[in-house]
Amino acid sequence: MKTIVRAEWSKLIFLLAVLLGIFVRFNPNLLADFPLNQGGMFAVMVEDLKANHYRLPAFTFYNHSNIPFAYPPFGFYVGGLISDLFGLTAVEVLRWVPSIFASLSILAFYSLAAQLFESNYHTAVATLFFALMPRAFSWFVSGAGLTRAPGQLFLLLSLACVVRLYKENRRTDIFWAGLFAGLTIMSHPEAAVHMIASVILLWAMLGRSRSSFAHLVGAGAVTLIVSMPWWATVIRFHGIAPFLSAVQTGQKGLAVLNLISFDFTEEVFATLIAILGLIGLARCLIEKKYLLPIWLASPFIVEGRSAVLPAAIPLAMLAAIGLIDILLPVLAHTATPGREGSEKVSFLESGILIYVLFYLFLSAYQFGAQLSTSSLSPSDRDAMDWVYAHTPKDSRFLVLTGTNSISCDIVMEWFPALADRRSIHTVQGTEWTQGANFAPYVRSTYAAQACLTEGDVKCLDEALSRSAYDYLYVSKIPRLDCKTIPYKNAFHYFLESLASANEFRKVYESDGVIIFDK
């Protein structure tokens, strides 16, 4: 049996990382028949952009509200163009396009890791961890990934160019870094924040010279030029108010607990990547190599709400260090791999690598299978189609699901998109209008939701005046922490009290939904 050297292993691991990473990013949507999780507002915004002949509109018609069309529009442009070119609906676009960008991010991560590691072996293994870490794709293959996935892709590409700019001082990288940074800003606001913070951190750790700072300023100028068509148009329509409002809605102070508990990889079985990442973290701290440890922690300080997403980038690299520099030498009794990668890989070492690869793939596959169930149920889709066809256009709906997390409730988020009626407690889009009042506004919606499990019609009347809505839409499928719970008759007492109330009249019912007018 031929012994394979590490250089060959590196190529094989990289190839498998790409192929398996693409598979786990498309498989959840292959298993589902509808976009995963959220995306209703983005489907409407794609149609708004198309209806305005690809000129940025001042407002989106989502939820019959005057919401500024202030969201970074790159994903909407791509979605609209693909929709027109291939004759797809906006919903179909949200099902497939995010997975394409999420798959391209594997190659972008490899490009970044190659700039930071001297060893192709480390780079390939880190790419494998990134490709098969559930956290590195879970939020990016959903319907809302239409903006998040391009943001992740361009974040990685911009950082790869920035690192190369710091290390090699190539002037062409000023343009490429600025281009990809501008596209990051044009894709997703949180990705833009983390991109800026990472660029500053990388300069502090790798640059720290006048020439590199001057190059960074040049890249920043390119970034402003690339992103100007978006933010200048928004300012022309609305001033800076939407941006000030959005800035006040993103922080999540308790996010640092994820860093302390180190439980954010979303691995289904044992948290192998997290454990290896901790080992790699200890190795870096002992050797006083602080870039990756600081990079891992910085997102939780900069913008806690989505910190776990960019944290997956340094974590995958730390996991590679933990496996290659610590675990493999101990288990396989080998020396730490050299940078040339010409050493032979022992039978035991290759067996460990094969086990890790299959373990990660099975974990990612199982996670994807679970993720595939996180889409709007057929019964809710049918009910929303009925609402669209049988209720007045100006109807106001109180949508009740019993959720304890309004911001990620897929029924309330998709209702305005599919039913084309106003949902009075849907919060998507209000981050551009509510500002500091966003959190209190979200909290104010929970009293009505709690009545499904804790009260009756009297509870609902105390939580909300009946004059605020025309119809009551009740999804019978319970939800907890953004996930559905397979439990029937969960709201039996509340529905009985509603049916016995003379003021409410049942106009639609299925296994999953019941609708009343009043």
Side-chain angles (χ1 to χ4, degrees), residues 69-336:
F69 202 107
Y71 209 96
F74 179 85
F76 308 138
Y77 275 103
V78 173
L81 291 172
I82 291 178
S83 173
D84 284 338
L85 286 173
F86 296 98
L88 301 175
T89 65
V91 172
E92 291 171 322
V93 164
L94 264 65
R95 186 180 173 195
W96 299 115
V97 171
S99 296
I100 296 174
F101 281 106
S103 298
L104 292 173
S105 292
I106 300 172
L107 300 176
F109 176 88
Y110 179 85
S111 177
L112 173 60
Q115 295 296 324
L116 294 171
F117 283 125
E118 296 180 352
S119 160
N120 290 334
Y121 197 41
H122 285 77
T123 301
V125 172
T127 304
L128 178 67
F129 284 129
F130 179 82
L132 297 180
M133 185 193 306
R135 177 61 75 183
F137 66 85
S138 59
W139 285 26
F140 303 102
V141 300
S142 67
L146 184 66
T147 61
R148 282 194 181 276
Q152 181 194 47
L153 172 64
F154 295 129
L155 165 67
L156 289 165
L157 289 173
S158 64
L159 296 182
C161 291
V162 164
V163 173
R164 190 169 59 194
L165 178 62
Y166 292 157
K167 294 174 66 175
E168 302 179 16
N169 288 316
R170 297 196 315 182
R171 295 195 175 186
T172 54
D173 286 323
I174 296 175
F175 168 77
W176 290 112
L179 173 63
F180 292 131
L183 291 174
T184 304
I185 292 174
M186 291 277 284
S187 298
H188 197 274
E190 290 171 349
V193 171
H194 291 298
M195 180 269 297
I196 294 170
S198 297
V199 166
I200 295 172
L201 172 63
L202 289 170
W203 181 83
M205 303 298 292
L206 302 176
R208 290 182 294 180
S209 68
R210 290 184 179 181
S211 61
S212 63
F213 183 78
H215 291 162
L216 190 60
V217 171
V222 175
T223 300
L224 291 176
I225 294 172
V226 171
S227 59
M228 184 182 295
W230 163 59
W231 52 261
T233 301
V234 174
I235 291 174
R236 180 167 63 89
F237 285 141
H238 309 289
I240 63 172
F243 299 116
L244 294 177
S245 178
V247 165
Q248 299 177 73
T249 64
Q251 290 294 329
K252 186 178 179 182
L254 296 179
V256 71
L257 295 178
N258 292 120
L259 182 62
I260 296 173
S261 60
F262 231 72
D263 62 347
F264 57 86
T265 57
E266 292 190 301
E267 296 169 83
V268 174
F269 307 128
T271 54
L272 179 62
I273 300 175
I275 293 171
L276 290 173
L278 278 171
I279 296 173
L281 177 66
R283 168 78 176 224
C284 288
L285 292 175
I286 290 171
E287 295 186 345
K288 298 182 180 180
K289 296 178 179 179
Y290 298 122
L291 172 58
L292 292 179
I294 295 175
W295 193 1
L296 178 68
S298 63
F300 297 92
I301 300 170
V302 172
E303 207 284 318
R305 181 174 178 268
S306 63
V308 293
L309 305 181
I313 299 169
L315 179 60
M317 299 182 197
L318 288 168
I321 294 172
L323 177 63
I324 297 173
D325 293 351
I326 304 297
L327 197 62
L328 284 180
V330 171
L331 296 179
H333 305 290
T334 60
T336 300

Side-chain angles (χ1 to χ4, degrees), residues 297-380:
S298 63
F300 297 92
I301 300 170
V302 172
E303 207 284 318
R305 181 174 178 268
S306 63
V308 293
L309 305 181
I313 299 169
L315 179 60
M317 299 182 197
L318 288 168
I321 294 172
L323 177 63
I324 297 173
D325 293 351
I326 304 297
L327 197 62
L328 284 180
V330 171
L331 296 179
H333 305 290
T334 60
T336 300
R339 59 182 298 176
E340 298 301 324
S342 60
E343 304 88 344
K344 292 180 180 180
V345 177
S346 68
F347 178 78
L348 180 57
E349 182 177 346
S350 62
I352 293 171
L353 289 169
I354 291 171
Y355 170 79
V356 169
L357 189 151
F358 277 101
Y359 182 88
L360 293 176
F361 174 69
L362 290 175
S363 176
Y365 178 83
Q366 179 64 23
F367 177 85
Q370 296 174 3
L371 184 63
S372 68
T373 63
S374 300
S375 62
L376 194 65
S377 69
S379 61
D380 277 303

